[in-house]
């Protein structure tokens, strides 16, 4: 409910606390459609004059095991292709830039940090999907850079950068083109 000079209300949805065993489960889903498309679920943060609100998706924390997994899957189709996943920042204003996207594993104070694995899935009766890394075009200044850098170490040698073509089991391997 709007109220002048104050914040709007807070809505909290959670399962109860469990003193023994697992806590409860929360499921949000749209209904099944027998002759059409499944319903859409939309989660949006309200806009504000002094900045947009944040949207935080965080899996559960723990002190006795590994933290919870955050898994985002597109829809499955038994006849056609699965759905797409688009991760994209929104448009920048007339005097601003669009937001950046950062993919990184978390820092650790003891042991190795997590790996970052970007790959397409295997195909049993077709081609494996391509991976394309491109920089957007611009009309002012030089073009954007692509930087690939191995890891730094203060105790041993730095990390390697390896570029290799795919193996062809029945014919020749692929080629590596640098220009």
């Amino acid at each position: 409910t709007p109220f002048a000079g104050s914040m709007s209300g807070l809505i909290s949805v959670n399962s109860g606390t469990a003193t023994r065993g697992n806590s409860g489960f929360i499921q949000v889903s749209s209904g099944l459609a027998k002759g059409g498309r499944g319903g859409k679920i939309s989660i949006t943060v309200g806009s504000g004059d002094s900045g947009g609100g944040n949207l935080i998706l965080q899996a559960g924390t723990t002190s006795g095991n590994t933290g919870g997994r955050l898994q985002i899957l597109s829809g499955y189709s038994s006849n056609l292709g699965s759905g797409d996943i688009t991760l994209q920042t929104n448009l920048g204003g007339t005097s601003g830039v669009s937001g950046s996207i950062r993919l990184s594993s978390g820092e650790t104070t003891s042991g190795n940090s997590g790996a970052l694995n970007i790959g397409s899935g295997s195909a049993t009766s077709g081609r494996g999907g391509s991976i394309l890394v491109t920089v957007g075009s611009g009309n002012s200044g030089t073009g954007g850079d692509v930087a690939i850098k191995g890891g730094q170490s203060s105790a041993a040698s730095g990390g390697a950068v390896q570029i290799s073509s795919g193996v062809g089991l029945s014919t020749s391997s692929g080629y590596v083109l640098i220009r």
Side-chain angles (χ1 to χ4, degrees), residues 63-154:
S63 59
N65 207 323
T66 57
R69 176 187 297 179
L70 178 61
Q71 188 172 4
I72 300 176
L73 293 175
S74 66
Y76 162 78
S77 172
S78 59
N79 296 325
L80 300 175
S82 61
D84 297 330
I85 294 178
T86 301
L87 181 63
Q88 176 181 332
T89 61
N90 217 329
L91 301 174
T94 56
S95 59
V97 298
S98 62
S100 61
I101 295 178
R102 178 182 177 186
L103 296 177
S104 67
S105 60
E107 298 180 358
T108 179
T109 57
S110 176
N112 301 330
S113 63
L116 180 62
N117 189 348
I118 299 176
S120 61
S122 300
T124 56
S125 59
R127 294 170 57 99
S130 299
I131 297 177
L132 183 64
V133 179
T134 60
V135 177
S137 59
N139 59 6
S140 175
T142 60
D145 299 326
V146 174
I148 302 176
K149 180 182 178 182
Q152 177 181 325
S153 174
S154 59

